[in-house]
Amino acid sequence: MKLFNLLLNIIWLAFCGIWMAIGYVIAALICFVLIITIPFGIASLRIAGFVLWPFGRTTVERPGAGAGSFIGNVIWVIFAGWWLALAHLVTSIPLFLSIIGIPFGWANLKLIPISLMPLGREVVPTDQGFGDR
């Protein structure tokens, strides 16, 4: 299963992973420049790493993430999350139009919730394959 995840990650990286990760890095840099939004920048970089290599990993809610994460996610959606989610949606369309890209289009759609609400989540490895989730 690890070999299959490696193959999927390499194909993903070539077709959409690098471009989506660049979007997250740009969002992080903007957050770092604004200083008060540095926690958003850190979350954006964490998700950029996940977007680069998503197969074999998943996100889970972090224990103890409460009202602060909720409020932060609301602010994130307003300023950066909506356009990152839109980028995932737009990127998934050409992937769905090609037969071989359908699993990658589906993976792109599965990343929309984390692009909208990255605070209070952490990226963890999974032993499940892509089709088992």
Side-chain angles (χ1 to χ4, degrees):
M1 201 47 73
K2 290 183 188 259
L3 184 60
F4 187 63
N5 284 338
L6 176 66
L7 178 65
L8 287 173
N9 279 320
I10 290 170
I11 296 170
W12 168 268
L13 187 65
F15 285 111
C16 60
I18 191 76
W19 309 114
M20 292 306 304
I22 289 171
Y24 283 94
V25 169
I26 290 169
L29 291 174
I30 292 169
C31 290
F32 290 144
V33 167
L34 298 175
I35 297 178
I36 197 167
T37 55
I38 287 175
F40 299 115
I42 294 168
S44 186
L45 286 179
R46 182 177 61 247
I47 302 306
F50 179 54
V51 168
L52 271 175
W53 210 255
F55 297 98
R57 300 190 303 169
T58 190
T59 62
V60 294
E61 287 187 32
R62 187 175 23 226
S69 292
F70 176 76
I71 294 167
N73 280 328
V74 169
I75 294 168
W76 173 262
V77 166
I78 293 169
F79 291 105
W82 68 271
W83 65 267
L84 289 167
L86 183 64
H88 280 293
L89 183 64
V90 169
T91 305
S92 70
I93 292 170
L95 291 170
F96 278 121
L97 293 177
S98 68
I99 300 298
I100 198 164
I102 291 174
F104 303 107
W106 184 246
N108 231 336
L109 292 180
K110 289 174 113 178
L111 290 168
I112 290 176
I114 192 70
S115 71
L116 290 172
M117 295 180 275
L119 300 175
R121 312 231 6 126
E122 61 183 309
V123 179
V124 296
T126 180
D127 292 333
Q128 296 176 335
F130 176 71
D132 297 336
R133 287 181 242 164

